[in-house]
Amino acid sequence: MHPIQMVDTRNQYLNIKVEVDNAIQDVLDSTAFINGEPVKTFSGNLSNYLGIEHTIPCANGTDALQIAMMALDLQPGDEIITPSFTYIATAEVIALLRLKPVFVEVDKETFCISPEAVEDAITSKTKAIVPVHLFGQAAPMEKIMDIANRHNLYVIEDNAQAIGCNYIFSDGTVKKTGTIGTIGATSFYPSKNLGAYGDGGAIFTADEKLANKINMIANHGQSKRYYHDIVGCNSRLDTLQAAILNIKLQLLEKYNEARKKVAAYYDTAFAAIPQINIPVRARYSDHVFHQYTLVLSDTNRDELIKHLADHKIPSMIYYPVPAHRQKMFDHFQSGNTMFPNTDWLTERVLSLPVHTEMNENQVDFITSTIINYFKNKSYTK
Ligand SMILES: *Cc1c(COP(=O)(O)O)cnc(C)c1O
């Protein structure tokens, strides 16, 4: 059995090595390292796949969020609503732009932003909502969009963990996450569902004017070469990464299916363990399992983590410290500061290995190791 990892980018690469190596060699031969043909091809291919008019590639997912916010002409002090239970990048760029992150609570079952909490947090200074499609499942976008429309707010979807996920509206319409709000942002960090072999990111929008502005911002505010109309930044997707992503985009559906298969196996195995709550699937969303995250009850989580580690099984706590408890936000006194669901989850979540290369032996070993742990627990009680 291969050693078990949270993600196995190495074996994934070995399975597509010839194709990837050739694509890399082509870029090396072309020496078009910046804005080469594969960058254009990739953004076109990704637009087609997602069903969105405009895809602007950039250097990473954090930049994607930052550029999205820069494009909306937000002013210092404007309030941006975002969940506390997320990766830090989402809230960090808000603060970096001198905007005010207003944290809100998440739903205990889906881990995603609570629409009721969003509604409660809106003030006259609120300008945007940044929902996060956490762990591969969509935030409740229909409700979020309804709130945004009623209050005239922008919506920036943080789609870094859910590329390929389908959102199902109540009328049956299906849209890919990242294409529903004003702007969508994603990351191609190597461990993401669509991962490059280095950093990468992209921004999505259906609005042509906004797309042009985003494009300018990502390229030093340039309208044509050496003419800089607005202050921007330098955020590009390398040609090498685009060439690799072009290959991996064709496999994304297959990759997401492989993740779902692992998740289904886990679900069945854990159904009989009362201390384990398997990931809840929201009715309105597909789940592409960027993470397979359990919520444990009546369990010594550290002891279980150690038990797994003793059997060479990695596991992770995403996230051990919610954004509202991070030191960097000590001086932001805005809105609510009490998030019982977020704190409750922070103490109980545990993410298990889930990736595209997992085989049945590995999943079986993980589930039986966990089942044995809980069996022995009840014997000793
Ligand atoms: C990974 C991630 C980001 C940041 O992406 P980078 O490419 O690492 O900058 C932002 N938000 C979420 C939710 C993420 O998981």
Side-chain angles (χ1 to χ4, degrees), residues 59-63 65 86-90 132-134 158-161 186-189 192 199-201 290 319:
N60 56 65
T62 309
D63 276 9
L65 289 162
T86 179
Y87 181 58
I88 195 67
T90 325
V132 182
H133 305 309
L134 203 70
D158 183 340
N159 197 33
Q161 300 190 2
T186 202
S187 161
F188 306 122
Y189 184 82
K192 299 283 158 82
D199 277 311
H290 176 60
Y319 294 93

Side-chain angles (χ1 to χ4, degrees), residues 181-290:
T182 324
I183 307 182
T186 202
S187 161
F188 306 122
Y189 184 82
S191 64
K192 299 283 158 82
N193 288 37
L194 179 57
Y197 293 167
D199 277 311
I203 306 150
F204 314 110
T205 184
D207 182 326
E208 188 173 356
K209 259 172 87 178
L210 210 44
N212 290 337
K213 191 156 175 208
I214 289 167
N215 219 330
M216 278 172 66
I217 292 171
N219 292 284
H220 296 294
Q222 179 169 280
S223 54
K224 58 182 184 186
R225 205 160 195 197
Y226 303 121
Y227 290 78
H228 306 273
D229 301 356
I230 49 177
V231 173
C233 57
N234 172 23
S235 188
R236 293 181 286 239
L237 180 68
D238 285 348
T239 309
L240 277 169
Q241 300 305 340
I244 293 160
L245 286 165
N246 259 326
I247 295 166
K248 294 188 73 180
L249 176 58
Q250 295 170 35
L251 298 165
L252 179 60
E253 288 281 308
K254 194 181 123 196
Y255 284 163
N256 282 345
E257 285 308 315
R259 289 171 178 273
K260 288 180 199 181
K261 215 174 128 191
V262 174
Y265 195 105
Y266 278 144
D267 283 351
T268 310
F270 298 144
I273 305 177
Q275 295 95 330
I276 292 183
N277 298 292
I278 60 170
V280 173
R281 306 332 192 251
R283 255 180 311 116
Y284 57 76
S285 177
D286 183 17
H287 200 319
V288 295
F289 288 99
H290 176 60

Side-chain angles (χ1 to χ4, degrees), residues 80-101:
I80 315 295
I81 296 174
T82 197
S84 178
F85 193 66
T86 179
Y87 181 58
I88 195 67
T90 325
E92 185 185 29
V93 296
I94 297 171
L96 184 71
L97 294 173
R98 304 263 169 239
L99 307 168
K100 201 163 176 182

